[in-house]
């Protein structure tokens, strides 16, 4: 059965502070200090959530030309006051501690009531390595091999507490059932982590894991761990090929490809007409001093043209949904929310009114616990009964 | 009311993972749900407190080689909870414990600066150092750090993070014994310049580190005289570092029990001590001192005749260890029991471990607290309630007005940032200067 007949297209949006274009803030006349305020980020996510988008990706990096707040912090700051929408911050793993990332994403899940996700990514450059001074930059195969270990540790730590570990049994004086807390005892080439986590299992069990699989070295990590796979492609045919490659890798790894949602990046800058949109991009490029090469399919034009493009995404099987990558915030997001999303809903391409946990928006059940499933420990008689 | 009276600062410690926190009480709520943190922080803010405080330990405690199961176990991530609390509060400071051994300075600088921006200048970092290989098993770094290097590393962490916070627009170049950090920091200073730095630890090294570096010191509470001696000692160290007495607040951690009358409060305090020291907890405490498995002993019976096993120092891991000779402690406990007519194991543990700091009617407690502050034993307190999430409720509704009547406590927040609440200067953000650079060792 083709999933495309069900109009189950998923919509996400990537929300850096000012938009993908490096000159966005300057061109839009946005005060740089405003980009660091909680009100700015709250407003962006609220706009996205109001129209029922499934999630926001909050990018992060250790090296940037513009001010970048830590993405998990932004997601946590927004979570209690913006309902509904999924919150998927980037947390890089190359120079950071999997133990910390595991508990921070688990806690994002707690403070958002089960709407957390995580986009793990790698730090490639010597400049990033120099900020930490612990090890040199590494090639992609090494980085993604390490990333695979890091994701495994993060997920195992989420499982290191069984859901019913806290018992508060006054008769025996025990707060937890220690048989339901597990050492993960991970030993790898890059690091070892004992466990258990200091944070109980998050509400979703496993917050949604999103992995960008544009480079071959990342594909095994996506195939094994991702619930959502992000792809970029120059056109829809290339996207369809990339999606098929992802699904084949998922199947080879023994998982059901239908459990994995492939989202295609679509850069957008919306205007009254395509000519105007192109002219504005030229202005932006002039501001930046260099043209911004497209990172993926790019739509410069009207909301209606964007809806046509998304119709074609569905028709050719290019992806299971898209990640809008606005070139200029908040204007492109506002246009998406006010014009494009209602059009898509009207054409039956986007199902509004999804709710519940972020996993449930993607048709995913709450996962079994790795350690509970593997547990063979007998129940101790007496005090335990 | 004189406006010149010394003002009391209050922090609110979210109940943590030791036996002070009573999880068995019918009123005890979730230690994990965000709603518990919201209740606690919003109530502290209603009480105009300077900050809420979250502790953190990075490995679950163990006892006799097993995860210690008698106290609260587990908690959410400090940074993530504090950022979320910033959304549902408007003034109160957001303080958390973050370890300087198992985090890297660049990442810490970015995380603290992010919280400071996202909270409008309300972040406070309680720096803890550890030399604990046990905890290190959870981290890339692994763990071991010579005890003597703990403060060396902590001082360098602070030097690097401050250099990064001050560096916006300029590259940082730091080469020291612990860290090599070079590059650009992506954030300008937040609304209070730098996050507030809190140092926890009473050792001579800790006092020096606080005097050189910290904005507040989180210390132990004792008698008025002991507090006055500590206060004078710590404040006396500041001048050597070119700082004034206003630049470092002394804040002991304290517990409290409130009743309609002093007698009612004493009765409640005894009840809470029995909750805090369950029969099983009494035996676990005993095992920590004795270094032996003592599960066959009756908690309501006498102390063991057998002496402590002094070689077995690691029976309890992941918490601060007793430093006294256990044989001396054991004999003290036996003498104490005998002098009180033969107290049981549980009764001895109840009496010898952690009696509440302030017990009485709201008026009594307010007056005693004021005595400590006006007597220069401290600048205020970090309150450690025994119940989650409502442990502060009565303090806010009943003690805060008494403190205000005494003229010792604010009736409104003085400004938007935590530095405003604590009466601290906002550090002037300056570019990295040559004097803050360190050459390679």
């Amino acid at each position: 059965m083709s999933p495309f007949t069900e109009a189950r297209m998923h919509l996400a949006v990537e929300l850096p502070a000012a938009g993908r274009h490096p000159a966005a803030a300057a061109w839009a006349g946005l005060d740089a200090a405003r980009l660091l305020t909680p009100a700015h980020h709250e407003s962006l996510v609220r706009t996205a959530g109001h129209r029922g988008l499934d999630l926001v990706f909050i990018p992060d990096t250790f090296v940037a030309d513009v001010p970048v707040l830590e993405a998990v912090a932004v997601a946590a700051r927004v979570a209690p006051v913006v309902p509904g929408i999924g919150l998927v911050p980037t947390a890089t793993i190359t120079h950071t501690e999997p133990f910390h990332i595991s508990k921070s994403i688990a806690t994002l899940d707690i403070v958002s009531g089960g709407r957390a996700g995580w986009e793990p990514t790698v730090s490639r450059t010597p400049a990033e390595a120099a900020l930490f001074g612990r090890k040199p930059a590494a090639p992609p195969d090494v980085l993604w091999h390490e990333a695979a270990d890091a994701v495994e540790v993060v997920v195992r730590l989420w499982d290191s507490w069984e859901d019913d570990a806290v018992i508060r049994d006054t008769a025996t004086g025990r707060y937890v059932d220690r048989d339901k807390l597990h050492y993960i005892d991970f030993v790898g080439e890059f690091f070892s982590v004992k466990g258990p986590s200091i944070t109980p299992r998050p509400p979703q069990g496993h917050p949604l894991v999103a992995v960008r699989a544009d480079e071959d070295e990342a594909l095994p990590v996506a195939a094994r761990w991702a619930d959502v796979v992000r792809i970029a492609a120059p056109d829809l045919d290339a996207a369809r090929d990339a999606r098929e490659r992802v699904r084949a890798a998922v199947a080879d790894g023994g998982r059901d490809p239908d459990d994995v949602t492939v989202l295609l990046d679509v850069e957008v800058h919306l205007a009254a007409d395509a000519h105007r949109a192109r002219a504005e991009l030229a202005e932006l490029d002039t501001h930046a001093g260099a043209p911004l090469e497209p990172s993926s399919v790019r739509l410069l034009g009207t909301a209606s043209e964007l809806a046509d493009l998304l119709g074609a995404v569905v028709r050719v099987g290019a992806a299971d949904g898209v990640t809008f990558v606005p070139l200029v915030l908040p204007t492109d997001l506002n246009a998406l929310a006010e014009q494009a999303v209602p059009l898509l809903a009207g054409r039956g391409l986007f199902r509004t009114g999804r709710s519940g946990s972020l996993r449930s928006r993607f048709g995913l059940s709450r996962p079994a616990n790795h350690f509970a499933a593997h547990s063979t420990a007998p129940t101790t008689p007496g005090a335990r009964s | 009311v004189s406006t010149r009276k010394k003002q009391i600062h209050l922090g609110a410690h979210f109940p943590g993972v030791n036996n002070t926190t009573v999880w068995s009480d019918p009123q005890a709520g979730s230690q994990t749900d965000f709603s518990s943190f919201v209740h606690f922080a919003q109530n502290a803010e209603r009480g105009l407190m300077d900050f809420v405080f979250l502790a953190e330990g990075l490995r679950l405690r163990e006892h006799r080689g097993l995860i210690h199961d008698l106290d609260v176990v587990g908690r959410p991530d400090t940074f993530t909870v504090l950022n979320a609390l910033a959304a549902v509060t408007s003034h109160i400071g957001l303080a958390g414990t973050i370890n300087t051994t198992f985090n890297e300075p660049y990442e810490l600088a970015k995380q603290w600066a992010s919280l400071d921006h996202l909270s409008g200048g309300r972040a406070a970092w309680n720096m803890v150092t550890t030399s604990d290989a046990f905890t290190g098993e959870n981290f890339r770094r692994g763990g071991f750090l010579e005890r003597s290097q703990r403060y060396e590393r902590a001082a360098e962490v602070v030097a690097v993070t401050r250099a990064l916070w001050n560096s916006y627009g300029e590259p940082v170049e730091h080469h020291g014994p612990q860290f090599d950090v070079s590059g650009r920091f992506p954030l300008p200073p937040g609304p209070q310049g730098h996050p507030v730095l809190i140092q926890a630890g009473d050792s001579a090294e800790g006092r020096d580190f606080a005097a050189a570096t910290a904005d507040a010191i989180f210390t132990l509470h004792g008698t008025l005289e002991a507090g006055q001696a500590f206060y004078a000692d710590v404040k006396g160290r500041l001048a050597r570092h070119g700082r004034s007495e206003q630049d470092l607040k002394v804040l002991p951690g304290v517990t409290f029990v409130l009743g309609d009358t002093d007698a009612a409060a004493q009765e409640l305090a005894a009840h809470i001590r029995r909750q805090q020291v369950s029969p099983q907890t009494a035996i676990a405490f005993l095992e920590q001192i004795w270094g032996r498995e003592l599960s066959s002993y009756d908690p309501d019976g006498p102390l063991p005749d057998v002496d402590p096993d002094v070689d077995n120092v690691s029976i309890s891991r992941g918490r601060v260890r007793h430093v006294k000779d256990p044989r001396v402690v054991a004999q003290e406990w036996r003498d104490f029991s005998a002098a009180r007519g033969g107290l049981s194991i549980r009764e001895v543990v109840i009496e010898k471990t952690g009696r509440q700091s302030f017990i009485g009617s709201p008026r009594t407690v307010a007056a005693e607290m004021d005595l400590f502050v006006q007597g220069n034993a401290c600048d205020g307190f970090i309150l450690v309630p025994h119940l989650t999430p409502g442990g502060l409720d009565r303090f806010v509704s009943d003690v805060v007005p008494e403190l205000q009547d005494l003229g010792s406590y604010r009736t409104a927040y003085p400004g938007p940032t935590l530095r405003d609440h604590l009466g601290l200067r906002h550090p002037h953000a300056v570019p990295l200067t040559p004097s803050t650079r360190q050459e390679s060792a």
Side-chain angles (χ1 to χ4, degrees):
Chain A
M1 182 179 69
S2 165
F4 306 121
T5 57
E6 298 177 1
R8 55 181 276 237
M9 174 170 252
H10 288 277
L11 295 182
V13 62
E14 184 177 284
L15 295 179
R20 172 64 71 90
H21 201 289
W27 179 79
L30 209 56
D31 178 11
R34 164 95 184 147
L35 303 178
L36 298 172
T37 63
H40 174 69
H41 294 273
E42 192 180 316
S43 164
L44 292 178
V45 179
R46 195 181 293 283
T47 301
H50 183 60
R51 289 297 180 181
L53 297 194
D54 289 310
L55 62 86
V56 295
F57 288 112
I58 305 174
D60 202 352
T61 172
F62 284 115
V63 281
D65 298 328
V66 293
V68 178
L69 294 162
E70 197 217 3
V72 181
V74 172
R77 173 59 183 77
V78 165
V81 284
V82 181
I85 193 162
L87 301 164
V88 186
T90 292
T92 64
I93 63 87
T94 306
H95 300 292
T96 55
E97 292 285 358
F99 192 87
H100 291 317
I101 291 174
S102 183
K103 66 186 165 64
S104 71
I105 300 296
T107 303
L108 180 61
D109 209 38
I110 292 168
V111 302
S112 67
R115 295 183 286 130
W118 172 41
E119 184 176 355
T121 189
V122 297
S123 300
R124 301 162 191 280
T125 64
E128 285 157 293
L131 299 172
F132 290 85
R134 291 275 167 241
K135 58 186 182 186
D141 59 326
V142 174
L143 290 173
W144 283 105
H145 182 180
E146 183 182 31
D149 284 2
V151 177
E152 178 169 348
V153 166
V154 168
V155 175
R156 292 286 180 259
L157 286 170
W158 288 337
D159 279 348
S160 66
W161 288 58
E162 294 186 38
D163 292 318
D164 52 356
V166 174
I167 52 172
R168 292 180 182 244
D169 183 36
T170 47
T172 60
R174 293 175 309 141
Y175 179 80
V176 289
D177 179 351
R178 61 164 71 113
D179 292 341
K180 294 187 174 179
L181 300 179
H182 302 278
Y183 298 103
I184 68 166
D185 282 321
F186 180 88
V187 179
E189 184 183 331
F190 303 93
F191 46 77
S192 302
V193 176
K194 179 77 181 173
S197 180
I198 62 164
T199 302
R201 197 168 191 244
Q204 295 184 97
H206 298 175
L208 195 83
V209 175
V211 178
R212 180 175 282 288
D214 295 329
E215 57 186 338
D216 291 344
E217 292 84 354
L219 195 57
V221 181
R224 178 152 185 218
W225 296 109
D227 303 303
V228 166
V229 174
R230 300 188 65 180
I231 59 170
D235 55 47
L236 299 191
D237 286 342
R240 185 187 54 218
D241 293 347
R243 176 175 181 270
E244 286 310 319
R245 202 159 55 241
V246 168
R247 289 175 64 85
V250 170
D252 285 350
R255 299 170 68 205
D256 182 349
D258 288 341
D259 286 345
V260 176
T261 300
V262 177
L263 297 181
L264 170 65
D265 279 6
V266 176
E267 288 189 2
V268 285
H269 181 58
L270 298 179
D273 58 60
H275 176 75
R276 173 87 200 206
R278 279 195 293 271
E280 289 180 353
L281 178 60
E283 285 177 30
L284 281 155
D285 286 345
T286 303
H287 256 277
L292 177 69
E293 296 302 325
S295 63
S296 186
V297 177
R298 177 184 278 178
L299 189 285
L300 303 172
T302 65
S304 174
E305 287 165 325
L306 179 62
D308 293 344
L309 173 68
L310 265 60
V313 167
V314 171
R315 216 164 38 247
V316 307
D320 306 310
V322 302
T323 300
F324 296 122
V325 180
L327 295 187
V328 181
L329 289 171
T331 53
D332 284 328
L333 176 65
N334 291 340
L336 281 167
E338 287 158 22
Q339 303 162 31
V341 175
L343 263 180
L344 293 168
R347 294 184 192 183
L349 290 168
F350 174 56
R351 189 175 63 205
T352 56
R354 286 191 180 99
S355 62
S357 75
L358 182 53
R359 290 184 68 86
S360 71
R361 280 174 172 259
F362 286 85
L364 298 168
S365 57
R366 202 164 181 281
N369 187 309
H370 176 81
F371 295 104
H374 289 67
S375 175
T376 53
T379 306
T380 311
R384 301 279 190 274
S385 60
Chain B
V1 172
S2 164
T3 54
R4 297 175 60 190
K5 204 170 173 192
K6 188 177 169 190
Q7 295 294 293
I8 298 177
H9 296 284
L10 292 177
H13 188 307
F14 190 85
V17 299
N18 53 51
N19 77 307
T20 303
T21 306
V22 176
W23 54 261
S24 59
D25 192 279
Q27 291 180 61
S30 170
Q31 291 285 136
T32 309
D33 288 354
F34 186 53
S35 60
S36 289
F37 291 89
V38 174
H39 177 112
F40 191 81
Q42 290 184 340
N43 205 38
E45 186 167 74
R46 260 193 295 282
L48 303 172
M49 295 185 188
D50 293 66
F51 56 85
V52 285
F53 183 99
L54 306 183
E56 185 170 85
L58 295 170
R59 175 119 186 225
L60 299 185
R61 286 163 49 198
E62 292 187 2
H63 182 69
R64 282 167 40 203
L66 297 168
I67 289 166
H68 185 59
D69 57 1
L70 303 178
D71 296 338
V72 166
V73 180
R75 51 184 144 212
D77 176 65
T78 297
F79 279 120
T80 313
V81 171
L82 293 179
N83 277 298
L85 285 176
V88 295
T89 56
S90 60
H91 283 78
I92 194 161
L94 302 164
T97 296
I98 293 291
N99 195 296
T100 55
T101 308
F102 302 112
N103 289 281
E104 295 295 324
Y106 191 87
E107 194 183 12
L108 287 173
K110 185 171 169 187
Q111 287 172 312
W112 282 114
S114 295
L115 176 63
D116 217 28
H117 281 286
L118 291 168
S119 65
R122 298 190 277 143
W125 175 10
N126 179 48
M127 294 178 293
V128 298
T129 63
T130 175
S131 56
D132 188 349
F134 173 72
T135 304
E137 286 183 339
N138 282 332
F139 296 96
R140 276 177 193 272
R141 189 186 173 283
F144 196 72
L145 184 67
E146 287 289 341
R147 208 178 159 72
S148 60
Q149 288 185 348
R150 292 190 314 160
Y151 282 104
E152 179 185 309
R153 179 172 166 114
E156 200 175 329
V157 167
V158 173
V160 179
T161 50
R162 282 187 170 156
L164 292 165
W165 288 335
N166 285 340
S167 73
Y168 190 59
E170 297 287 331
V172 169
E173 192 71 38
H174 172 96
H175 300 286
Q178 297 278 340
F179 304 106
D180 292 290
V181 175
S182 59
R184 287 174 184 276
F185 188 65
L187 294 168
Q192 62 174 348
H194 292 175
V196 169
L197 292 189
I198 304 171
Q199 142 73 12
D202 288 358
S203 68
E205 279 174 306
R207 295 179 195 198
D208 262 337
F209 182 67
T213 315
D215 301 303
I217 183 163
F218 182 3
T219 180
L220 298 171
H221 177 72
T223 63
L224 182 67
E225 294 72 27
Q228 287 167 332
F230 180 85
Y231 188 91
D233 177 276
V234 171
K235 298 265 180 174
R237 293 172 192 248
L238 288 163
R240 264 171 270 164
H241 302 281
R243 307 178 71 206
S244 82
E245 293 211 355
Q246 293 305 308
D247 293 340
L248 178 68
K249 307 299 175 193
V250 175
L251 303 174
V254 297
T255 55
F256 59 89
V257 181
L258 301 169
D260 291 339
T261 63
D262 291 350
Q266 291 292 346
E267 205 169 303
L268 180 57
H271 170 70
I272 292 168
R273 287 298 294 144
R274 288 186 69 79
Q275 291 181 310
Q276 289 170 329
V277 183
S278 69
Q280 296 84 356
T281 295
I283 295 297
F285 264 111
L286 206 63
E287 288 175 336
Q288 276 179 46
I289 310 245
W290 259 255
R292 297 176 184 278
E293 210 253 87
L294 300 170
S295 60
S296 63
Y297 282 79
D298 178 0
D300 295 322
L303 290 163
D305 291 328
V306 61
D307 272 328
D309 177 356
V310 291
D311 296 326
N312 191 8
V313 294
S314 62
I315 192 165
S316 184
R317 302 203 289 178
R319 63 179 301 153
V320 179
R321 233 176 256 139
H322 295 267
V323 287
K324 249 179 165 174
D325 183 336
R327 287 168 302 197
V328 174
V329 177
Q331 197 51 50
E332 276 176 19
W333 284 25
R334 289 192 189 109
D335 295 346
F336 180 78
S337 170
R340 301 281 290 265
L343 294 185
S344 71
I345 289 170
R346 188 179 178 196
E347 288 165 335
V348 170
V349 173
I350 285 171
E351 294 298 324
K352 294 301 261 184
T353 63
R355 187 175 176 275
Q356 295 95 341
S357 316
F358 294 103
I359 302 170
S361 69
R363 178 161 296 178
T364 299
V365 167
E368 280 185 34
M369 287 185 149
D370 198 35
L371 192 68
F372 273 77
V373 173
Q374 304 310 327
N376 284 339
C378 59
D379 295 307
F381 305 93
I382 295 178
L383 304 171
V384 188
H386 72 283
L387 282 179
T388 305
L392 278 181
D393 294 3
R394 185 143 192 215
F395 191 98
V396 169
S397 63
D398 296 356
V399 180
V400 164
E402 295 284 349
L403 293 171
Q404 289 168 332
D405 283 350
L406 292 169
S408 303
Y409 195 70
R410 63 175 63 107
T411 53
Y413 279 112
T417 73
L418 178 55
R419 285 185 180 275
D420 294 332
H421 311 339
L422 286 168
L424 297 166
R425 289 182 289 191
H426 291 220
H428 180 59
V430 290
L432 189 67
T433 59
S435 65
T436 63
R437 295 180 194 209
Q438 297 194 23
E439 297 307 316
S440 298

